Amino acid sequence: MVGVLIRMRLRLTARAMREGRAALNFWVGSAFGLVAALITAILIGFGHETVHGGITIAAALFAGWTLGWICGPVLTGSSDETLQPEQFRLLPLTDRQLAYGLGAAAFAGPAAVINLLAFAGLVILAAPKGVVPVVIALIGVVLQLIFVVLLSRVMVAWLGAAMRSRRGRDLGVLLAALLGLAYYPLNLLITNLGPSLENSGGALATTLRAVPSGWAPYAVESAVRGDALWALLPLLGLAALSLALWQLWAVLLHRRLTLPPAPAGQILDSGAGLLDRYLPATPVGAVVAKELRTWWRDGRRRAALLPLLLVGFALPAFLSFQNNGTGTIAYSGAFVVWMAAMGSTNLYGFDGTSVWQTIVTPGAARADVRGRAIAWLILVAPVALLAALILPGALGRSGAYPWVLCTLPVLLGVGVAAVVFLSTHAAYSLPPQRGNPFAGSGNPGCAKLLMQLTVGLGQLLISVPVLAILIVGAVLRNPFVQWAALPVGLLVGGLAATLGIRLATTRLDTYGPELMAEVKPR
């Protein structure tokens, strides 16, 4: 059975290497991962003068890769489920057999190979020290890879299990947000301490070795010292921990395949709600109401948006603490818009084939695109505007008000334009909603990351005219010149939003069937 699943995974991966957009995602993602793995291996193998320093560097980099496996599915809003457990529900397999087969198939993808290459730097480090350290390093690299892959699977499966009920969905989204937030302070910590890792000692070196990601490097260090007991104990610990994760994954798979999602409860449409009261009775108003309700009720959408909204507040705070100040916190509103736009570029992918209702309704494309854009603005703009109005004054940085308020319309306009434009021009399919709200078919993580970077870069480039006026006003120390950037920002943001909505409408009207084929679950 394991061999069958591995061959299925390899066949699907080979198909992804040849099929248009999926091939681009595969090769670009593999290229970035390969470069990162080579840099990691070189730093571990050659970026040190002593064995102690090399082991400390290896433990820190192993921790960074482990953190990426845990937080990556949350930050990108997608995890690879090329082989979905539901596809094997009717086969006579126990939960442990299915977990064993799917776990083995997970190592057949490019991510595991790239990670193995990164961890191979530990073997390079051990090579000059003799045969025993090399053998320990080889075993440690394999066990470390098994550990990070199983840990990632368990974390995503656990979040998916938590989000099967309405109350659990809210808790799961919050936990996912906190998990995503953990990446930034830990990454900043590792980055800041990187230059001092070579000569570090004491608490830092001990901590890096004490966590499971540092057990394999510590085993190699013990082997170099000739301490056989402490060379074997960390490896046995990794093996035991991996076995425990496999057992836990089997339990979570059983819950996913046997327990139905809790009912959302009866939804009463009294017609007296806030949406019905304040939204116009027009096609656009109907789409806005539908989108707002969907954003609120759909666990997958909340899992994509809410963690990034919280990251938008947390990231400037971490950057400020890194620089021992509070300057970046004043710009949290801009970060919120930036992160929210990056997490909302696949609206039609969330809906799947239900887009056919829009396609077959004459004249519905215009109302649908506009309604989606307005609903996104209703969700994001108030949060960003409140942050922009309150935080600079609360932090005593009133001089930041022109910068924050003049760039905010541009970021909102370009953000909503990118959301609807990419949702129609670069949509991709998602698997049916089952147990994993972060699941993505065809390994979309790279594609989503590239789209996120494109949105952020576009917001920055189109803000250049506003930034130029603000810089001139700052140089002249003239607040009137600085505030002159506000109407320019409103104009640029409005034009960007109008252009993006128009292009998205044209695309949906002209290539509706092609869009439905792209977002059809596979």
Side-chain angles (χ1 to χ4, degrees), residues 392-456:
L395 296 171
R397 294 184 172 273
S398 57
Y401 272 119
W403 296 83
V404 173
L405 295 177
C406 293
T407 56
L408 189 59
V410 182
L411 297 176
L412 285 170
V414 178
V416 73
V419 166
V420 295
F421 180 83
L422 291 175
S423 293
T424 52
H425 286 74
Y428 55 87
S429 64
L430 297 174
Q433 286 217 57
R434 289 168 179 148
N436 180 5
F438 303 101
S441 60
N443 195 18
C446 174
K448 193 160 189 178
L449 182 60
L450 290 175
M451 286 194 290
Q452 290 174 349
L453 296 175
T454 302
V455 172

Coordinates of all heavy atoms in Angstrom, one line a residue, residues 392-456:
P392 N -0.9 56.6 16.1 CA 0.1 57.7 16.1 C -0.1 58.6 17.3 O 0.9 59.0 17.9 CB -0.1 58.4 14.7 CG -0.7 57.3 13.9 CD -1.6 56.5 14.8
G393 N -1.3 59.1 17.5 CA -1.5 60.0 18.7 C -1.3 59.3 20.0 O -0.7 59.9 20.9
A394 N -1.7 58.0 20.1 CA -1.5 57.3 21.4 C 0.0 57.1 21.7 O 0.4 57.1 22.9 CB -2.2 56.0 21.4
L395 N 0.8 57.0 20.7 CA 2.2 56.8 20.9 C 3.0 58.1 20.9 O 4.3 58.1 21.0 CB 2.8 55.9 19.7 CG 2.2 54.5 19.7 CD1 2.7 53.7 18.4 CD2 2.7 53.7 20.9
G396 N 2.3 59.2 20.8 CA 3.0 60.5 20.8 C 3.8 60.8 19.5 O 4.8 61.5 19.5
R397 N 3.3 60.3 18.4 CA 4.0 60.5 17.1 C 3.0 61.1 16.1 O 2.7 60.6 15.1 CB 4.5 59.2 16.5 CG 5.6 58.5 17.4 CD 6.2 57.3 16.8 NE 7.4 56.8 17.5 CZ 8.6 57.2 17.2 NH1 8.8 58.1 16.3 NH2 9.6 56.7 17.9
S398 N 2.6 62.3 16.5 CA 1.6 63.0 15.6 C 2.2 63.4 14.3 O 1.5 63.6 13.3 CB 1.2 64.3 16.3 OG 2.3 65.1 16.6
G399 N 3.5 63.5 14.2 CA 4.2 63.7 12.9 C 4.0 62.6 11.9 O 4.2 62.8 10.7
A400 N 3.5 61.4 12.3 CA 3.3 60.3 11.4 C 1.9 60.3 10.8 O 1.7 59.6 9.8 CB 3.5 59.0 12.2
Y401 N 1.0 61.2 11.3 CA -0.3 61.3 10.7 C -0.4 61.5 9.2 O -1.1 60.8 8.5 CB -1.1 62.3 11.4 CG -1.8 61.8 12.7 CD1 -1.6 62.3 13.9 CD2 -2.8 60.7 12.6 CE1 -2.2 61.8 15.1 CE2 -3.4 60.2 13.7 CZ -3.1 60.8 15.0 OH -3.7 60.3 16.1
P402 N 0.4 62.5 8.7 CA 0.3 62.7 7.2 C 0.8 61.4 6.4 O 0.2 61.0 5.4 CB 1.3 63.8 6.9 CG 1.3 64.6 8.2 CD 1.2 63.5 9.3
W403 N 1.8 60.8 6.9 CA 2.3 59.6 6.2 C 1.3 58.4 6.3 O 1.1 57.7 5.3 CB 3.6 59.1 6.9 CG 4.7 60.1 6.8 CD1 5.0 61.2 7.6 CD2 5.8 60.1 5.8 NE1 6.1 61.9 7.1 CE2 6.6 61.3 6.0 CE3 6.1 59.3 4.7 CZ2 7.7 61.6 5.3 CZ3 7.2 59.6 3.9 CH2 8.0 60.7 4.2
V404 N 0.7 58.3 7.5 CA -0.2 57.1 7.6 C -1.5 57.4 6.8 O -2.0 56.5 6.1 CB -0.5 56.9 9.1 CG1 -1.6 55.9 9.3 CG2 0.7 56.5 9.9
L405 N -2.1 58.5 7.0 CA -3.4 58.8 6.4 C -3.4 59.1 4.9 O -4.3 58.8 4.2 CB -4.1 60.0 7.1 CG -4.4 59.7 8.6 CD1 -5.0 61.0 9.2 CD2 -5.4 58.6 8.8
C406 N -2.2 59.5 4.4 CA -2.1 59.8 3.0 C -1.8 58.6 2.2 O -2.2 58.5 1.0 CB -1.1 60.9 2.7 SG -1.5 62.5 3.4
T407 N -1.1 57.6 2.8 CA -0.8 56.4 2.0 C -1.9 55.4 2.2 O -2.0 54.4 1.4 CB 0.5 55.8 2.6 OG1 0.4 55.6 4.0 CG2 1.7 56.7 2.2
L408 N -2.7 55.5 3.2 CA -3.8 54.5 3.4 C -4.8 54.3 2.3 O -5.1 53.2 1.9 CB -4.5 54.8 4.7 CG -5.5 53.7 5.2 CD1 -4.8 52.4 5.5 CD2 -6.2 54.1 6.5
P409 N -5.3 55.4 1.7 CA -6.2 55.3 0.5 C -5.5 54.5 -0.7 O -6.2 53.8 -1.4 CB -6.5 56.7 0.1 CG -6.3 57.5 1.4 CD -5.1 56.9 2.0
V410 N -4.2 54.8 -0.9 CA -3.5 54.1 -2.0 C -3.4 52.6 -1.7 O -3.7 51.8 -2.5 CB -2.1 54.7 -2.2 CG1 -1.4 54.0 -3.3 CG2 -2.2 56.2 -2.4
L411 N -3.1 52.3 -0.4 CA -2.9 50.9 -0.1 C -4.3 50.2 -0.2 O -4.4 49.0 -0.7 CB -2.4 50.7 1.3 CG -1.0 51.3 1.5 CD1 -0.6 51.2 3.0 CD2 0.0 50.6 0.7
L412 N -5.3 50.8 0.3 CA -6.7 50.2 0.2 C -7.1 50.1 -1.3 O -7.6 49.0 -1.7 CB -7.7 51.0 0.9 CG -7.7 50.9 2.4 CD1 -8.6 52.0 3.1 CD2 -8.1 49.5 2.9
G413 N -6.9 51.1 -2.1 CA -7.3 51.0 -3.5 C -6.5 50.0 -4.3 O -7.1 49.2 -5.0
V414 N -5.2 50.0 -4.1 CA -4.4 49.0 -4.8 C -4.7 47.6 -4.2 O -4.7 46.6 -5.0 CB -2.9 49.3 -4.7 CG1 -2.0 48.2 -5.3 CG2 -2.6 50.6 -5.3
G415 N -4.9 47.5 -2.9 CA -5.2 46.2 -2.3 C -6.5 45.6 -2.9 O -6.5 44.4 -3.2
V416 N -7.6 46.4 -2.9 CA -8.9 45.8 -3.4 C -8.8 45.5 -4.9 O -9.4 44.5 -5.4 CB -10.0 46.7 -3.1 CG1 -10.0 48.0 -3.9 CG2 -11.4 46.0 -3.2
A417 N -8.0 46.3 -5.6 CA -7.8 46.1 -7.0 C -7.1 44.7 -7.2 O -7.4 43.9 -8.1 CB -7.0 47.2 -7.7
A418 N -6.0 44.5 -6.4 CA -5.3 43.3 -6.5 C -6.1 42.1 -6.1 O -6.0 41.0 -6.7 CB -4.0 43.4 -5.7
V419 N -7.0 42.2 -5.1 CA -7.8 41.1 -4.7 C -8.7 40.6 -5.8 O -8.8 39.4 -6.1 CB -8.6 41.6 -3.4 CG1 -9.7 40.6 -3.2 CG2 -7.7 41.7 -2.2
V420 N -9.4 41.5 -6.4 CA -10.4 41.1 -7.5 C -9.7 40.8 -8.8 O -10.1 39.8 -9.5 CB -11.5 42.2 -7.7 CG1 -12.3 42.4 -6.5 CG2 -10.9 43.5 -8.1
F421 N -8.6 41.5 -9.1 CA -7.8 41.2 -10.3 C -7.2 39.8 -10.2 O -7.4 39.0 -11.2 CB -6.7 42.2 -10.5 CG -5.9 42.0 -11.8 CD1 -6.4 42.5 -13.0 CD2 -4.7 41.4 -11.7 CE1 -5.7 42.2 -14.2 CE2 -4.0 41.2 -12.9 CZ -4.4 41.6 -14.1
L422 N -6.5 39.5 -9.2 CA -5.8 38.2 -9.1 C -6.9 37.1 -8.8 O -6.6 35.9 -9.2 CB -4.8 38.2 -7.9 CG -3.6 39.0 -8.2 CD1 -2.7 39.1 -6.9 CD2 -2.8 38.5 -9.4
S423 N -8.0 37.4 -8.2 CA -9.0 36.4 -8.0 C -9.6 35.9 -9.4 O -10.2 34.8 -9.4 CB -10.1 36.9 -7.1 OG -9.7 37.1 -5.8
T424 N -9.6 36.7 -10.4 CA -10.1 36.4 -11.7 C -9.0 36.0 -12.7 O -9.3 35.2 -13.6 CB -10.9 37.5 -12.3 OG1 -10.1 38.7 -12.3 CG2 -12.2 37.8 -11.5
H425 N -7.8 36.5 -12.5 CA -6.7 36.2 -13.5 C -5.8 35.1 -13.0 O -5.1 34.5 -13.8 CB -5.9 37.5 -13.8 CG -6.6 38.5 -14.6 ND1 -7.6 39.3 -14.2 CD2 -6.4 38.8 -15.9 CE1 -8.1 40.1 -15.1 NE2 -7.3 39.8 -16.2
A426 N -5.7 34.9 -11.7 CA -4.7 33.9 -11.2 C -5.4 33.0 -10.1 O -4.8 32.6 -9.2 CB -3.5 34.6 -10.6
A427 N -6.7 32.7 -10.4 CA -7.4 31.8 -9.4 C -6.8 30.4 -9.5 O -6.4 29.9 -10.6 CB -8.9 31.8 -9.7
Y428 N -6.9 29.7 -8.4 CA -6.5 28.3 -8.4 C -7.5 27.5 -7.5 O -8.2 28.0 -6.7 CB -5.1 28.1 -7.8 CG -4.8 28.7 -6.5 CD1 -5.1 28.0 -5.3 CD2 -4.3 30.0 -6.4 CE1 -4.8 28.5 -4.1 CE2 -4.1 30.5 -5.1 CZ -4.3 29.8 -4.0 OH -4.1 30.4 -2.8
S429 N -7.6 26.2 -7.8 CA -8.6 25.4 -7.1 C -8.1 25.0 -5.7 O -6.9 24.9 -5.4 CB -8.8 24.1 -7.9 OG -7.6 23.3 -7.9
L430 N -9.1 24.8 -4.9 CA -8.9 24.3 -3.5 C -9.7 23.0 -3.4 O -10.7 22.8 -4.0 CB -9.4 25.3 -2.5 CG -8.7 26.7 -2.4 CD1 -9.4 27.6 -1.5 CD2 -7.2 26.5 -2.1
P431 N -9.2 22.1 -2.5 CA -9.9 20.8 -2.4 C -11.2 21.1 -1.6 O -11.4 22.1 -1.0 CB -9.0 20.0 -1.5 CG -8.1 20.9 -0.8 CD -8.0 22.1 -1.8
P432 N -12.2 20.2 -1.7 CA -13.4 20.3 -1.0 C -13.2 20.5 0.5 O -12.2 19.9 1.0 CB -14.2 19.0 -1.3 CG -13.6 18.5 -2.5 CD -12.2 18.9 -2.5
Q433 N -14.0 21.3 1.2 CA -13.9 21.5 2.6 C -14.1 20.3 3.4 O -15.2 19.8 3.4 CB -14.8 22.7 3.0 CG -14.3 24.0 2.6 CD -14.6 25.1 3.7 OE1 -14.2 25.0 4.8 NE2 -15.4 26.1 3.3
R434 N -13.1 19.8 4.0 CA -13.3 18.6 4.8 C -12.7 18.9 6.2 O -13.2 19.7 6.9 CB -12.6 17.4 4.1 CG -13.5 17.0 2.9 CD -12.7 16.0 2.0 NE -13.5 15.6 0.9 CZ -13.1 15.3 -0.3 NH1 -11.8 15.4 -0.5 NH2 -13.9 14.9 -1.3
G435 N -11.6 18.2 6.5 CA -11.0 18.4 7.8 C -9.9 19.4 8.0 O -9.5 19.7 9.1
N436 N -9.4 19.9 6.8 CA -8.2 20.8 6.9 C -8.5 22.1 6.2 O -8.6 22.2 5.0 CB -7.0 20.1 6.2 CG -5.8 20.9 6.2 OD1 -5.8 22.0 6.8 ND2 -4.8 20.4 5.6
P437 N -8.7 23.2 7.0 CA -9.0 24.5 6.4 C -7.9 25.1 5.7 O -8.0 26.0 4.9 CB -9.4 25.3 7.6 CG -8.7 24.7 8.7 CD -8.7 23.2 8.5
F438 N -6.7 24.5 5.8 CA -5.5 25.1 5.2 C -5.1 24.3 4.0 O -4.0 24.5 3.4 CB -4.3 25.2 6.2 CG -4.6 26.0 7.4 CD1 -5.0 25.3 8.6 CD2 -4.6 27.3 7.4 CE1 -5.2 26.1 9.7 CE2 -4.8 28.1 8.5 CZ -5.2 27.5 9.7
A439 N -5.9 23.3 3.6 CA -5.5 22.4 2.5 C -5.5 23.1 1.2 O -6.3 24.0 0.9 CB -6.4 21.2 2.5
G440 N -4.6 22.7 0.3 CA -4.6 23.3 -1.0 C -4.2 22.2 -2.0 O -3.2 21.4 -1.7
S441 N -4.8 22.1 -3.1 CA -4.5 21.0 -4.1 C -3.4 21.5 -5.0 O -3.3 22.7 -5.3 CB -5.7 20.7 -4.9 OG -6.2 21.8 -5.6
G442 N -2.6 20.6 -5.4 CA -1.5 21.0 -6.4 C -0.4 21.8 -5.8 O 0.3 22.5 -6.5
N443 N -0.2 21.8 -4.4 CA 0.9 22.5 -3.7 C 0.8 24.0 -4.1 O 1.8 24.5 -4.7 CB 2.2 21.9 -4.1 CG 3.3 22.4 -3.2 OD1 3.0 22.8 -2.1 ND2 4.5 22.2 -3.6
P444 N -0.2 24.7 -3.7 CA -0.3 26.1 -4.1 C 0.5 27.1 -3.2 O 0.4 28.3 -3.4 CB -1.8 26.4 -3.9 CG -2.2 25.6 -2.8 CD -1.3 24.3 -2.9
G445 N 1.2 26.6 -2.3 CA 1.9 27.5 -1.3 C 2.9 28.4 -2.0 O 2.9 29.6 -1.7
C446 N 3.6 28.0 -3.0 CA 4.5 28.8 -3.7 C 3.8 29.9 -4.5 O 4.1 31.1 -4.5 CB 5.4 28.0 -4.6 SG 6.5 29.0 -5.7
A447 N 2.7 29.4 -5.2 CA 1.9 30.4 -6.0 C 1.3 31.4 -5.1 O 1.3 32.6 -5.5 CB 0.8 29.6 -6.7
K448 N 0.8 31.0 -4.0 CA 0.2 32.0 -3.1 C 1.3 33.0 -2.6 O 1.1 34.2 -2.4 CB -0.5 31.3 -1.9 CG -1.4 32.2 -1.2 CD -2.4 31.5 -0.4 CE -3.5 32.4 0.2 NZ -4.5 31.7 0.9
L449 N 2.4 32.5 -2.2 CA 3.5 33.3 -1.7 C 3.9 34.3 -2.8 O 4.1 35.5 -2.5 CB 4.7 32.5 -1.3 CG 5.9 33.2 -0.7 CD1 5.4 34.0 0.6 CD2 7.0 32.3 -0.3
L450 N 4.0 33.9 -4.0 CA 4.4 34.8 -5.1 C 3.4 35.9 -5.3 O 3.7 37.0 -5.5 CB 4.6 34.0 -6.4 CG 5.9 33.1 -6.5 CD1 5.9 32.3 -7.7 CD2 7.1 34.0 -6.3
M451 N 2.1 35.5 -5.3 CA 1.0 36.5 -5.4 C 1.0 37.5 -4.2 O 0.8 38.7 -4.4 CB -0.3 35.8 -5.5 CG -0.6 35.1 -6.8 SD -2.3 34.7 -7.1 CE -2.5 33.3 -5.9
Q452 N 1.3 37.0 -3.0 CA 1.4 37.9 -1.9 C 2.5 38.9 -2.1 O 2.4 40.1 -1.8 CB 1.6 37.1 -0.6 CG 0.4 36.3 -0.2 CD 0.7 35.3 0.9 OE1 1.8 35.2 1.4 NE2 -0.4 34.8 1.5
L453 N 3.7 38.4 -2.5 CA 4.8 39.4 -2.8 C 4.5 40.4 -3.9 O 4.8 41.5 -3.8 CB 6.1 38.6 -3.1 CG 6.6 37.7 -2.0 CD1 7.8 36.9 -2.5 CD2 7.0 38.5 -0.8
T454 N 3.7 39.9 -4.9 CA 3.4 40.8 -6.0 C 2.4 41.9 -5.5 O 2.6 43.1 -5.9 CB 2.7 40.0 -7.1 OG1 3.6 39.0 -7.6 CG2 2.3 40.9 -8.3
V455 N 1.5 41.5 -4.7 CA 0.5 42.5 -4.1 C 1.3 43.5 -3.3 O 1.1 44.8 -3.5 CB -0.5 41.8 -3.3 CG1 -1.4 42.9 -2.6 CG2 -1.4 41.0 -4.2
G456 N 2.2 43.1 -2.4 CA 2.9 44.0 -1.6 C 3.8 45.0 -2.4 O 3.9 46.2 -2.2

